[in-house]
Amino acid sequence: QVQLVESGGGSVQAGGSLRLSCVVSGSTYSPICMGWFRQVPGKERERVARMHTRSGTLAYVDSVRGRFTISHHNAENTLYLQMNSLKPEDTAMYYCVADWICARDWDFKIWGQGTQVTVSS
């Protein structure tokens, strides 16, 4: 059974950077589609970025494009999210997600526990 464990969250000032990590366990190979969502209490979860771990195809939502970079390290079976130029509105719980297909509607069946990111102004 595939499990995802996130780390790397924390508190930073606006303009700062953080790198989130998501380690895949329970499978020799990473799921084909992996990504990141975020959620603020009381609001709907929001897609952030995803990638096809075989083809390398990437996708970002407009609000993070140019500031966030998603990447995957095959040997480490780990997904990363490099977040630069952070803004207070990036404050949220960030979740690593995975599935064996990249669904058009960003539907992911496997979710991590989340890591909190807090950006102060």
Side-chain angles (χ1 to χ4, degrees), residues 11-76:
S11 297
V12 296
Q13 289 192 327
S17 298
L18 283 173
R19 188 177 79 155
L20 305 184
S21 300
C22 172
V23 177
V24 180
S25 63
S27 175
T28 301
Y29 303 102
S30 289
I32 291 174
C33 199
M34 297 190 70
W36 296 91
F37 274 70
R38 64 187 181 186
Q39 187 168 26
V40 176
K43 294 188 177 181
E44 290 189 3
R45 64 190 182 192
E46 177 188 24
R47 57 182 72 167
V48 175
R50 76 172 185 181
M51 70 178 299
H52 192 290
T53 60
R54 305 298 191 270
S55 70
T57 301
L58 309 176
Y60 298 93
V61 294
D62 289 343
S63 59
V64 307
R65 188 175 292 113
R67 300 187 298 120
F68 291 10
T69 303
I70 188 172
S71 62
H72 178 259
H73 196 297
N74 282 326
E76 296 176 355

Side-chain angles (χ1 to χ4, degrees), residues 84-104:
N84 298 329
S85 301
L86 282 162
K87 304 175 181 180
E89 51 263 43
D90 294 318
T91 295
M93 183 71 78
Y94 283 71
Y95 296 93
C96 179
V97 295
D99 209 324
W100 297 102
I101 60 170
C102 277
R104 183 172 296 181

